[in-house]
Amino acid sequence: MSVMLELPSSLRAATLLAQVRARRPRVHCLMNTVVQKFTADGITVVGGIPSMTSSFEEIGSFVAKADALVVNLGTLDAARREVIRLAVGVANAAGKPWILDPVHCDYSPSRLAFARELTGLGPAIVRGNTAEMALFEEAGSAVRICTGPVDRLADGGRSVRIANGHRWMAAVTGTGCLTGGVIAAFMAVEPDKLIAAASALVVTGVSAELAAREAKGPGSFGVAFLDSLSEVGADELLLHARIEDDRN
């Protein structure tokens, strides 16, 4: 007997956003150092509690206290590789979900090899742009997210596309990293990783559209985006969310 799997919806996104704001999940980020503050601000305004340390001595304790982990390869060196391995080991041992963002793995063979090593360790989600995700056609049981003007998510049994967002997101460094942090916050309150990720993408996408109405350009958009994330609610999500079944 086949099992009907739930698909994401605007109502589900609104419900999960309310849960994130009520529960305030802790999200630990091993993040691109260029965008740490912007990402931390985004997690905070949506309702989560971020932490960012990459200290080898501290990472185990921080991940143990977190509800979800973000691994972003944007700025990578030998020391950070070891910290990431330790963090992932702690997360896996505790059953905590984590998301892998293999940033620029298409630029560097050594980065790609490391990203593939991490993919084999069981991330809940692997998220990247078209060029990056072309190198990860197989990602185990992870939800695959291919980002772009339309985001596409697939977990084997389901495939959905989300058309929310604004072109200025691509002009502000860190909006994608911030979105990864928001996805992690949603994973902390929703065990269905595709539902969690799709809901987070709807929240960030709708917030971007609302922010663009107030902004004059990419500079003011970054500030307006944070404002919109802090204020967006069920009414806006139900009105503006664009989620479609992508299996047809």
Side-chain angles (χ1 to χ4, degrees):
M1 178 184 296
S2 62
V3 177
M4 293 295 293
L5 298 173
E6 181 185 0
L7 290 174
S9 68
S10 56
L11 179 59
R12 196 82 175 95
T15 299
L16 291 179
L17 175 60
Q19 290 177 4
V20 168
R21 288 172 171 167
R23 298 185 192 178
R24 302 202 67 206
R26 294 182 177 272
V27 177
H28 191 76
C29 302
L30 288 169
M31 182 59 59
N32 185 337
T33 56
V34 176
V35 299
Q36 285 182 330
K37 182 182 184 303
F38 189 53
T39 300
D41 287 345
I43 294 170
T44 301
V45 299
V46 85
I49 301 173
S51 55
M52 295 279 173
T53 185
S54 59
S55 163
F56 191 85
E57 293 76 16
E58 294 184 322
I59 190 64
S61 297
F62 271 80
V63 174
K65 289 181 170 61
D67 297 297
L69 172 68
V70 180
V71 176
N72 179 298
L73 304 187
T75 45
L76 192 62
D77 56 28
R80 181 160 290 230
R81 289 170 190 252
E82 293 309 308
V83 168
I84 289 171
R85 290 186 177 105
L86 177 56
V88 167
V90 171
N92 283 343
K96 299 177 188 290
W98 57 284
I99 177 173
L100 172 63
D101 194 340
V103 179
H104 294 328
C105 65
D106 54 322
Y107 286 21
S108 162
S110 64
R111 184 178 296 236
L112 175 59
F114 184 56
R116 286 177 169 163
E117 172 191 333
L118 295 176
T119 303
L121 297 178
I125 292 171
V126 179
R127 172 190 177 277
N129 62 30
T130 301
E132 293 157 357
M133 294 308 294
L135 302 171
F136 292 91
E137 292 185 3
E138 296 296 329
S141 62
V143 174
R144 297 178 73 259
I145 303 176
C146 186
T147 62
V150 176
D151 295 325
R152 286 182 160 82
L153 301 82
D155 67 354
R158 294 167 294 181
S159 182
V160 298
R161 56 182 177 266
I162 298 173
N164 291 110
H166 191 272
R167 60 185 176 85
W168 284 339
M169 295 181 80
V172 177
T173 300
T175 55
C177 301
L178 182 158
T179 299
V182 175
I183 290 172
F186 275 65
M187 285 200 299
V189 302
E190 171 51 58
D192 186 319
K193 306 314 174 193
L194 186 138
I195 297 292
S199 298
L201 288 168
V202 165
V203 168
T204 55
V206 169
S207 296
E209 292 170 7
L210 298 174
R213 297 178 183 179
E214 306 297 329
K216 296 181 179 179
S220 55
F221 172 77
V223 175
F225 182 42
L226 292 176
D227 288 342
S228 290
L229 275 174
S230 71
E231 297 169 356
V232 69
D235 290 345
E236 292 85 359
L237 298 177
L238 293 173
L239 181 62
H240 298 294
R242 297 194 296 280
I243 310 170
E244 297 179 352
D245 190 337
D246 202 28
R247 292 174 295 179
N248 299 323

